[in-house]
Amino acid sequence: MGATKNCLMAATLAEGESILENCAREPEIIDLAEFLLALGAKIEGVGRQTMRVTGVPSLHGAEYNVVADRIEVGTYLIAAAITQGDVVIEKCRPQHLNSLVDLLREMNQEIEAGEDFLRIRGRTPIKPVTVSTEPYPGFPTDLHPQLVALATLAQGTSVVTENIFNGRFMYAMELVRLGGDVRVSNRDVIIRGVRQLGGAPVDAPDIRAGGALVCAALAAPGESTISGVHFIDRGYEEIEKRLASLGAKIERADFED
């Protein structure tokens, strides 16, 4: 997806016509293209695998509302599910999360989808699932660790197959520290649900792993300390304040060396 973004931005000001093939089609790509169009770019085929860009001498200013972050929205949905919460997320685009919404419903979670909101009522028992990550509109790799966190409390065995990002598994041992029964085998993560997690010190090795550990820690009795907060901050703005506003007992702590 990053390569598509970079090529698209470069082509808008490049002299002549550029043809971008095998483009990513995630909502963020479409939103970037629409933003560039608002600035005066000339782009054809937005949302398709092939885009044709005619370079312009310069761009101009414009007002533009950036699309809601579907991965952030998805993480909060999973946080609500794992804690049996009742949460409404507004100003989002539910159609961008159809794959996750379908999975959560399969896991026995109650979800209401409106034009620009999602409401989830977390329910037990959490049912196990089998899913593979895929390019959009399939299940996104950036929600893989968070879904695994939810599956640690499912009644049964879940399997998540990672087809996009080989380095996605660094969170697994951290979930084990919290009491999860998680095992990695090649591209598969096998999760055998446990009755209860437990608080523990853990380390976030990347952005989405951090989101998953926050979700798991919210559902773990006792106190958990999550380091690597600088990773979490890259993907979740003021996550502790937003979760605290929903009733979570979470705070940012500064420890002296």
Side-chain angles (χ1 to χ4, degrees):
M1 184 164 67
T4 300
K5 291 178 181 178
N6 287 333
C7 291
L8 182 59
M9 289 186 287
T12 60
L13 295 175
E15 184 176 349
E17 182 180 88
S18 301
I19 297 176
L20 310 183
E21 298 181 343
N22 197 31
C23 296
R25 294 183 291 174
E26 279 79 3
E28 294 80 13
I29 299 294
I30 296 172
D31 197 53
L32 173 61
E34 291 177 347
F35 171 63
L36 292 171
L37 286 169
L39 298 182
K42 296 182 179 179
I43 305 170
E44 300 176 21
V46 175
R48 300 176 183 173
Q49 284 192 314
T50 299
M51 285 191 280
R52 187 185 305 270
V53 184
T54 302
V56 296
S58 63
L59 301 174
H60 55 71
E63 291 187 8
Y64 190 85
N65 291 322
V66 177
V67 70
D69 185 337
R70 64 195 167 101
I71 305 303
E72 189 174 16
V73 172
T75 301
Y76 286 122
L77 289 174
I78 291 171
I82 200 171
T83 57
Q84 289 84 61
D86 185 348
V87 173
V88 178
I89 302 176
E90 300 176 333
K91 298 181 180 179
C92 63
R93 298 190 185 180
Q95 67 271 25
H96 290 170
L97 285 158
N98 285 340
S99 61
L100 175 63
V101 168
D102 290 344
L103 275 175
L104 289 174
R105 285 173 173 157
E106 187 178 341
M107 297 178 83
N108 194 39
Q109 306 308 298
E110 182 180 347
I111 298 183
E112 176 186 356
E115 183 177 344
D116 63 351
F117 75 88
L118 284 163
R119 180 177 185 177
I120 181 167
R121 298 177 179 90
R123 298 172 55 183
T124 56
I126 299 170
K127 294 184 179 179
V129 290
T130 298
V131 63
S132 298
T133 61
E134 300 174 359
Y136 185 82
F139 181 71
T141 180
D142 281 344
L143 285 173
H144 157 170
Q146 300 91 310
L147 186 73
V148 171
L150 178 60
T152 61
L153 293 177
Q155 287 191 358
T157 299
S158 299
V159 179
V160 177
T161 301
E162 178 55 59
N163 293 317
I164 307 297
F165 181 38
N166 290 335
R168 183 60 79 190
F169 304 106
M170 293 186 291
Y171 68 88
M173 285 308 301
E174 304 305 309
L175 285 178
V176 172
R177 295 179 195 277
L178 290 168
D181 186 347
V182 180
R183 180 171 60 87
V184 177
S185 177
N186 296 321
R187 291 181 175 269
D188 296 331
V189 185
I190 298 95
I191 313 103
R192 294 180 174 85
V194 297
R195 288 189 176 184
Q196 183 175 280
L197 299 173
V202 292
D203 181 46
D206 58 55
I207 301 173
R208 305 311 172 188
L213 294 176
V214 169
C215 290
L218 290 173
E223 182 176 278
S224 296
T225 303
I226 304 174
S227 57
V229 176
H230 60 287
F231 287 120
I232 300 173
D233 287 340
R234 288 176 55 196
Y236 305 97
E237 182 180 3
E238 296 185 333
I239 189 171
E240 76 281 3
K241 293 181 180 179
R242 295 185 179 188
L243 289 172
S245 72
L246 296 172
K249 295 180 179 179
I250 180 173
E251 62 182 3
R252 185 179 295 258
D254 294 321
F255 296 101
E256 296 181 1
D257 294 334

